[in-house]
Amino acid sequence: MKIISCERRFAGLFAAVLATSSAQAADSPPETAVALEPVVVEGARDGALDLPTKQKVDGVFGDERALLDVPRSVTTIDAALIDRAAIVELRDLQRLVPNSYGANTFGASSLPTLRGQFGEIYQDGLRRQGGNNGLGLPLSFNAVEQINVVKGPPPVAFGSSQRVGGFVDLTPKRPDLDQSRASVNLQAGSWDRYRQSLDWSQPIESGRSAVRLSAENRTEGSYYDFVHYQSQSLFGAYRLKPDSDSQLDVGFEYFHVDFTDNAGFNRPTQQLIDDGLYLTGQGEQADGSTVPAAGAVVSPTGLTRISRRRVYTDPDDRNSAETVIGNLRYERSLSDGLRWTTRGLYQHLEREEVAQNSFVEIIDGADTVNLRSELGLDTALPLAGFDVAQTTTFGVEYRYHDILGFSQFTTEADNPVDLTGPIANRRIPLSAAQQARLVQLRPGLFVSPGAQYDIDGDGVGDFNTSDSTDSTTHQGGVFIQHAIRPDPRWELLLGARGDWFDVTASDGAPPPGVTAARDGINRWLKAGNAALLFKPQADITLFATANYSESTSNSLGGGFVLGGGNQIARENFATESRLYEVGVKWAPANGLWYADLSLFDQTRGLRNRDGSNSGIKTHGGETRLSFTPDRHWFLQLAGSWIDVSFDDSVAFQDSSNVLDAFDNSRPDLVAGTGVGSPSFAVFPASSNRVPGIPRVQASGLLNYETAFGLGASINALYTSEFPLDYQQTVKIREQINVNASVHWDVKAIATDFRFDVFNLTNEDNYSPVFEGGFFGSTLVFPEQPINVLFSIRHRFSL
């Protein structure tokens, strides 16, 4: 009922705004349209691609900075580039961002992968929540004006986080104080994919206040069996500029999504990857039961070509999420060289997934409140007869996070399932013995308790535990960022921060008759960064950066769980990250191109499924070139190389080898080991390569547009061969993905027609399903074949 009422509200909203826009357009005098025409043709065109140096990077190292002055590898993606590269989800960023290749995360990424590990999502510099290990809700870009992708741990201004591979900072849409504009975009594509969106900005009092509204509706079928996606997003923003010294921005976003987790193919043998040949036969437990369970063994019955549609899904799975986000930002110039900025974010998240393979993840409510205030001061320090320019930023931050969530993943078993058989093969009805080790949350729905209990007094815990938690976190931070510029060529950046965590966690689903376990912990976490920038000439920047940070381990919905002894593990606050990076950025004064190159070395932690941390070390490099010789052509090339390995740490995998799922009864088909799967393998400490990440990634985007609005673009992504599992028994070969589009912006009617073709060469590509290689011996994702999308965008003159 909630989805239906939301769709009705959207329908009414679309109709009202369209009617108003059309009436205003009809009443506009003809000379108004004629007067605007030269601006559209000769000036900055709506949707035109430009160099990244035209975009500012805000808040990463204090105040807003030009791209050349940010001492990190940064990729800025504005609204026009989001549109041209057809970016609709986080994983699409790999088309433009070097070292951003990652797993498909069950077909619905909610976190970015940067430099081989999950990164964070920020909105206007404040951290959002997005589920457990990225297995959460999809992300809508309906409210987004610009995407800034920054590599490495968050700097001191952003504070202690949970994921440190890098971060994506989303710049929300802002109203235009001076100009009214609106557009409607309608899309239809392969497999019954339909999208409708509206964007409208209107001054209330010209130059002083304005509002903006964006709405998006997606109703999509899928190439894959039993997969769907339905979402509604509504965003509103208000801007007030009461005087020349201050500005207030307020935003609100509602996002509801109903979607399917897609596990892809199980039993990822090399024959499956290379030839599409699938080993058949349902696994059996030791007692002869064919219900999938840990240790089940498959007696292979044949080798057959499997349709890439026939993935591991179930028509009776339920999966939905709802997010409400409120943003505010207040800026005021207090005097010459003194500025005050306050940012605020509120997020409420609910999520419910109940799968027929016994997986359960429920967020019964997660609330986040984040406030940060900064005071920026520009001064000049007399030194040796010179005035040394300085900028000091003082900041304080408070973050509150409260979550009640339940999960159950202890009885999943993927490899025993024969996907070519009936749907019943995939279902795991819990036995009475399994139910006894869980807690009934609702009739027929069992979850893990959030703690361990010894009911029968034998000294051994009687329950299966996962990530269920009822936790509250208070985080207070204080930081200082200082920039020294002895002359225009040199700048030294120094920053330090401390974060105080006060965390309590209890069992939100204790067994009947048992007092819920509870624990609390207090910890200080530290962070610091230093950077040196040198400009041998105005258009070239050389930089060197060092960053140290202490982070928390991530768990269900960003909360904390009770570990061994029903206590919050101290290891949850012991994830250290170190980054060393050097680079060069070059933007010639002629404004035709921009190029950068960076080399990095980073150590960090990877949270394992059992709650422990494994050390990860990476080193590599990345480069990017953007070139626009005139207003017709735009070219962007990006490339990266990375080596990701364990830092003398243990590794975990669902099963040690895909061959463990099979016995050796048919050596003509497969040389199985008969160990059974899943077997929850633990590999000893080593410096082995982390699976699932290609060493080389390269991408390119070429766009051409004529003076009369006819254009075309082509985008390509290349990844080198990489192992799917820890033992490197199965590999995903070199892959390329090519997307192309043609469009015609008919200015006489203010309408842009566009036709996109994805996977133009119809490659049979694959990707990992989960980060860190845990499911590398169990699952692999078959990417979509060639498909198309047709779009019509109409702009209204208001």
Side-chain angles (χ1 to χ4, degrees):
M1 293 299 295
K2 184 180 293 184
I3 297 174
I4 294 173
S5 67
C6 181
E7 289 179 341
R8 286 174 176 167
R9 288 196 297 270
F10 272 177
L13 176 64
F14 271 69
V17 174
L18 284 174
T20 302
S21 302
S22 300
Q24 290 177 340
D27 293 339
S28 299
E31 55 271 20
T32 302
V34 174
L36 287 176
E37 186 69 12
V39 177
V40 174
V41 175
E42 300 295 336
R45 295 163 294 124
D46 181 29
L49 298 181
D50 217 330
L51 295 177
T53 48
K54 302 293 184 181
Q55 309 301 322
K56 298 294 185 180
V57 181
D58 183 36
V60 178
F61 287 93
D63 294 332
E64 184 177 79
R65 283 175 168 259
L67 184 60
L68 258 65
D69 297 330
V70 180
R72 284 280 190 94
S73 176
V74 180
T75 303
T76 59
I77 307 171
D78 62 11
L81 195 52
I82 291 173
D83 181 65
R84 282 293 179 268
I87 295 175
V88 296
E89 61 181 44
L90 280 170
R91 197 164 180 267
D92 295 336
L93 293 176
Q94 63 190 4
R95 299 172 186 165
L96 300 172
V97 181
N99 271 330
S100 62
Y101 181 86
N104 198 283
T105 47
F106 295 88
S109 300
S110 65
L111 294 169
T113 298
L114 300 169
R115 291 181 176 172
Q117 192 186 0
F118 277 136
E120 294 284 10
I121 295 287
Y122 288 81
Q123 185 160 317
D124 198 24
L126 299 176
R127 182 158 59 98
R128 292 176 42 156
Q129 292 299 337
N132 177 20
N133 278 329
L135 183 60
L137 66 155
L139 180 70
S140 170
F141 290 126
N142 173 54
V144 176
E145 190 82 77
Q146 179 175 317
I147 303 171
N148 296 323
V149 185
V150 184
K151 309 297 177 57
V156 296
F158 282 22
S160 179
S161 65
Q162 294 178 325
R163 307 165 185 93
V164 293
F167 59 92
V168 170
D169 190 21
L170 306 175
T171 301
K173 292 178 178 178
R174 307 293 194 195
D176 191 322
L177 292 173
D178 302 308
Q179 182 181 2
S180 301
R181 65 179 187 271
S183 65
V184 170
N185 190 23
L186 306 176
Q187 297 180 313
S190 304
W191 314 306
D192 296 322
R193 293 179 298 162
Y194 302 101
R195 305 174 191 168
Q196 309 87 37
S197 62
L198 163 72
D199 190 26
W200 171 61
S201 181
Q202 176 71 47
I204 300 173
E205 183 179 344
S206 182
R208 188 176 189 275
S209 61
V211 294
R212 186 166 181 176
L213 174 69
S214 290
E216 178 189 67
N217 180 66
R218 294 174 60 181
T219 304
E220 301 183 3
S222 176
Y223 165 75
Y224 305 105
D225 290 342
F226 314 123
V227 172
H228 72 280
Y229 184 101
Q230 294 178 333
S231 70
Q232 300 83 36
S233 172
L234 179 63
F235 171 76
Y238 171 73
R239 168 168 282 187
L240 174 66
K241 192 173 180 63
D243 53 55
S244 59
D245 294 326
S246 59
Q247 182 168 282
L248 172 68
D249 283 292
V250 179
F252 171 87
E253 180 182 7
Y254 168 83
F255 178 55
H256 179 276
V257 61
D258 189 292
F259 65 105
T260 305
D261 269 352
N262 186 346
F265 289 151
N266 63 349
R267 306 179 182 178
T269 64
Q270 198 65 56
Q271 286 175 300
L272 178 65
I273 301 295
D274 292 345
D275 304 314
L277 297 177
Y278 182 84
L279 283 162
T280 59
Q282 184 76 357
E284 291 188 11
Q285 301 181 44
D287 62 2
S289 171
T290 58
V291 174
V297 178
V298 179
S299 296
T301 57
L303 196 61
T304 185
R305 186 170 300 279
I306 189 172
S307 168
R308 293 173 69 87
R309 295 176 180 269
R310 199 170 180 82
V311 291
Y312 198 162
T313 55
D314 192 296
D316 290 341
D317 286 351
R318 306 196 313 270
N319 194 6
S320 64
E322 187 171 86
T323 303
V324 175
I325 295 178
N327 266 102
L328 72 83
R329 177 170 176 164
Y330 177 71
E331 301 170 282
R332 183 168 181 82
S333 176
L334 302 176
S335 63
D336 288 343
L338 187 61
R339 301 167 304 282
W340 178 270
T341 302
T342 294
R343 293 176 170 89
L345 179 143
Y346 168 74
Q347 178 176 352
H348 176 78
L349 168 65
E350 295 182 7
R351 190 267 173 97
E352 178 159 330
E353 178 177 8
V354 179
Q356 298 303 304
N357 69 344
S358 76
F359 177 83
V360 177
E361 183 169 291
I362 296 172
I363 297 177
D364 202 24
D367 291 284
T368 303
V369 177
N370 201 171
L371 295 169
R372 184 169 76 239
S373 291
E374 304 166 18
L375 184 66
L377 176 64
D378 297 328
T379 57
L381 176 68
L383 185 65
F386 296 93
D387 286 338
V388 177
Q390 301 181 108
T391 299
T392 306
T393 303
F394 303 92
V396 293
E397 184 167 2
Y398 170 73
R399 191 170 193 274
Y400 166 86
H401 183 65
D402 181 80
I403 176 175
L404 174 61
F406 313 97
S407 69
Q408 206 299 94
F409 50 68
T410 62
T411 55
E412 286 182 276
D414 298 324
N415 268 335
V417 173
D418 185 347
L419 291 182
T420 66
I423 295 298
N425 281 2
R426 313 176 186 192
R427 296 177 172 171
I428 304 178
L430 298 177
S431 66
Q434 289 172 323
Q435 292 178 12
R437 295 188 61 83
L438 300 170
V439 174
Q440 186 169 232
L441 184 66
R442 298 196 293 261
L445 178 62
F446 292 84
V447 298
S448 298
Q452 186 60 267
Y453 305 94
D454 180 14
I455 302 296
D456 57 15
D458 64 355
V460 179
D462 297 322
F463 296 89
N464 296 347
T465 60
S466 51
D467 269 357
S468 296
T469 186
D470 183 358
S471 72
T472 301
T473 303
H474 297 273
Q475 175 184 349
V478 58
F479 71 90
I480 182 171
Q481 178 86 41
H482 190 60
I484 306 172
R485 293 176 292 276
D487 67 47
R489 296 180 304 160
W490 291 91
E491 182 177 18
L492 176 65
L493 275 167
L494 300 171
R497 177 164 178 145
D499 281 282
W500 172 253
F501 283 82
D502 180 75
V503 180
T504 58
S506 61
D507 185 357
V514 174
T515 301
R518 181 183 178 89
D519 190 32
I521 191 171
N522 298 307
R523 279 290 185 273
W524 269 106
L525 298 186
K526 303 178 293 296
N529 54 246
L532 182 66
L533 296 92
F534 173 60
K535 292 187 176 183
Q537 57 191 57
D539 54 5
I540 296 178
T541 299
L542 306 175
F543 70 88
T545 292
N547 185 284
Y548 170 82
S549 65
E550 296 173 342
S551 304
T552 60
S553 295
N554 52 293
S555 188
L556 177 63
F560 290 85
V561 297
L562 297 175
N566 289 344
Q567 295 181 325
I568 301 172
R570 276 47 181 171
E571 291 79 10
N572 287 342
F573 300 85
T575 305
E576 295 183 322
S577 300
R578 292 176 175 83
L579 168 69
Y580 305 97
E581 184 172 347
V582 296
V584 57
K585 300 181 180 184
W586 192 1
N590 60 21
L592 298 183
W593 54 276
Y594 164 82
D596 61 32
L597 170 68
S598 64
L599 304 174
F600 61 89
D601 183 275
Q602 183 175 350
T603 58
R604 57 184 184 271
L606 170 70
R607 180 182 183 268
N608 299 310
R609 188 150 172 155
D610 69 345
S612 65
N613 291 317
S614 291
I616 302 294
K617 56 185 178 181
T618 68
H619 61 272
E622 49 210 25
T623 185
R624 185 169 53 125
L625 169 67
S626 297
F627 178 56
T628 174
D630 54 45
R631 64 189 183 89
H632 301 295
W633 289 95
F634 177 85
L635 171 67
Q636 177 162 297
L637 301 174
S640 56
W641 168 81
I642 190 171
D643 184 76
V644 187
S645 59
F646 291 96
D647 189 8
D648 191 27
S649 292
V650 298
F652 294 76
Q653 201 164 266
D654 189 51
S655 293
S656 63
N657 191 311
V658 67
L659 299 179
D660 290 349
F662 307 97
D663 62 24
N664 200 31
S665 60
R666 290 291 304 273
D668 57 318
L669 298 177
V670 60
T673 65
V675 171
S677 176
S679 55
F680 308 112
V682 180
F683 299 102
S686 73
S687 295
N688 286 5
R689 181 178 178 182
V690 175
I693 302 295
R695 283 199 167 100
V696 177
Q697 175 185 339
S699 64
L701 171 69
L702 178 63
N703 185 81
Y704 176 76
E705 187 169 338
T706 66
F708 54 87
L710 185 62
S713 66
I714 187 166
N715 173 245
L717 171 68
Y718 164 83
T719 54
S720 61
E721 179 181 277
F722 60 90
L724 188 61
D725 63 319
Y726 179 86
Q727 297 191 57
Q728 302 189 30
T729 55
V730 177
K731 296 181 179 180
I732 293 180
R733 311 298 188 186
E734 290 182 312
Q735 296 186 149
I736 188 168
N737 181 267
V738 180
N739 306 318
S741 70
V742 293
H743 75 275
W744 187 15
D745 189 354
V746 186
K747 297 179 176 60
I749 58 173
T751 303
D752 186 14
F753 301 90
R754 174 169 170 162
F755 183 72
D756 285 276
V757 182
F758 300 96
N759 194 5
L760 179 65
T761 54
N762 203 27
E763 305 292 326
D764 288 339
N765 291 334
Y766 288 90
S767 61
V769 167
F770 203 69
E771 298 291 337
F774 182 82
F775 289 110
S777 60
T778 308
L779 300 169
V780 68
F781 194 88
E783 301 281 3
Q784 291 179 342
I786 186 172
N787 62 97
V788 301
L789 184 68
F790 179 69
S791 309
I792 302 176
R793 176 182 284 114
H794 180 68
R795 301 181 299 277
F796 294 91
S797 177
L798 303 177

